[in-house]
Amino acid sequence: MGILNCTPDSFSDGGLHFEPTDAIQRGLEMFEEGAAIVDVGGESTRPGASPVDAAEERRRVVPVIAELRNASPDTVLSVDTSKTAVAAQALDAGADIVNDVTAGSEPGMFELVAEHGAAVVLMHMRGEPRTMQSDLRYRSVVAEVHSHLVDRAQAAVKAGVPHHRVWLDPGIGFGKDDDGNVALLAALPDLAAHGHPIVVGPSNKSFISRLTGAPVADRLPGTLGGLIAVLGLPNAVVRVHDPAAALQFLEIAVRVHEVSA
């Protein structure tokens, strides 16, 4: 899953694809680089980010999704939003997946996804982007995150979303400390044991710099190291800024894992 941020303030690539023409070009490039999904977002969820109203978020993402769908009708598109109104227009424009960092907290989100026959990514986040890093204490980060995601998955299924279209994301970097992020990556097999596809997004996250000292522009090696956690999982999606590098890494890593397993 390639990350396409149509924002001026995302932590890693804010402003690079803010103009629709730039975003559309980059989305098509990511498909050419091997991305199976392009995830289009119009609101930054970096720590401390301020919210964007629904009208502005729609303005940023819906035309991009519509044009990508027209240009590449057989590809898979995702909209990164927690707003039901934005998701509705994005699905009408051609999105196949709603990637919701609040795990479907806004009323009507699950029913909307079910009505469109779409998939939904449920991510764990404590609080909201402005506050999520203010309290990083957990009794057991793995147990609490997994319990929350399973509860939200059950709610989605109850609302009519098929089990296999409910994907779970532990929310690496969203309200966790460095040890918590590493523990959640290591525990991905336990999360996958609940039978839902798994999404994981360590790409360019700040914990890589804290653990390695790398500046944000040099976090690709740490990102690839984080992807090791998905090896052996039956249904896993990695959400990354650089699909070409991730695909090359995983092609070799999977081959080695299969031989050594």
Side-chain angles (χ1 to χ4, degrees):
M1 177 186 280
I3 300 169
L4 183 57
N5 288 320
C6 305
T7 61
D9 56 345
S10 293
F11 76 95
S12 179
D13 57 356
L16 292 180
H17 313 117
F18 188 49
E19 294 299 325
T21 52
D22 295 333
I24 293 162
Q25 179 181 350
R26 179 57 187 146
L28 294 174
E29 287 174 353
M30 284 196 284
F31 282 128
E32 291 175 359
E33 291 172 5
I37 305 165
V38 168
D39 188 37
V40 184
E43 179 179 43
S44 175
T45 52
R46 62 176 173 78
S50 298
V52 173
D53 65 50
E56 174 61 16
E57 191 176 344
R58 284 196 299 264
R59 186 193 70 77
R60 294 176 180 181
V61 302
V62 171
V64 174
I65 290 170
E67 186 57 36
L68 287 173
R69 173 55 65 228
N70 288 335
S72 191
D74 297 325
T75 55
V76 180
L77 295 170
S78 172
V79 60
D80 180 0
T81 186
S82 59
K83 299 181 182 70
T84 305
V86 176
Q89 291 201 13
L91 290 167
D92 287 341
D96 307 287
I97 303 165
V98 176
N99 182 13
D100 188 345
V101 298
T102 70
S105 64
E106 190 165 294
M109 182 65 86
F110 292 152
E111 290 78 8
L112 174 72
V113 171
E115 178 185 345
H116 281 78
V120 63
V121 179
L122 306 179
M123 197 196 79
H124 177 276
M125 175 174 60
R126 174 178 279 178
E128 59 182 36
R130 286 182 296 182
T131 64
M132 65 185 179
Q133 294 298 107
S134 61
D135 183 5
L136 306 180
R137 296 170 296 175
Y138 294 83
R139 293 185 303 277
S140 170
V141 64
V142 170
E144 291 178 50
V145 169
H146 289 192
S147 176
H148 174 76
L149 289 176
V150 170
D151 286 347
R152 298 308 296 153
Q154 291 173 347
V157 171
K158 185 176 180 180
V161 185
H163 188 278
H164 70 280
R165 291 181 179 163
V166 179
W167 304 1
L168 306 182
D169 181 344
I172 302 301
F174 285 79
K176 291 90 178 177
D177 62 17
D178 298 343
D179 289 340
N181 289 320
V182 172
L184 287 166
L185 287 171
L188 286 180
D190 295 331
L191 186 59
H194 294 282
H196 295 277
I198 299 300
V199 178
V200 62
S203 187
N204 292 355
K205 294 293 175 65
S206 59
F207 83 98
I208 296 171
S209 288
R210 290 191 295 270
L211 292 178
T212 68
V216 64
D218 295 328
R219 292 176 184 169
L220 178 58
T223 294
L224 300 179
L227 302 186
I228 293 172
V230 307
L231 298 179
L233 298 186
N235 294 294
V237 174
V238 297
R239 186 175 182 273
V240 295
H241 293 86
D242 190 336
L247 182 60
Q248 183 180 129
F249 172 83
L250 287 171
E251 284 177 341
I252 301 302
V254 167
R255 291 287 293 273
V256 173
H257 177 78
E258 289 174 346
V259 170
S260 61

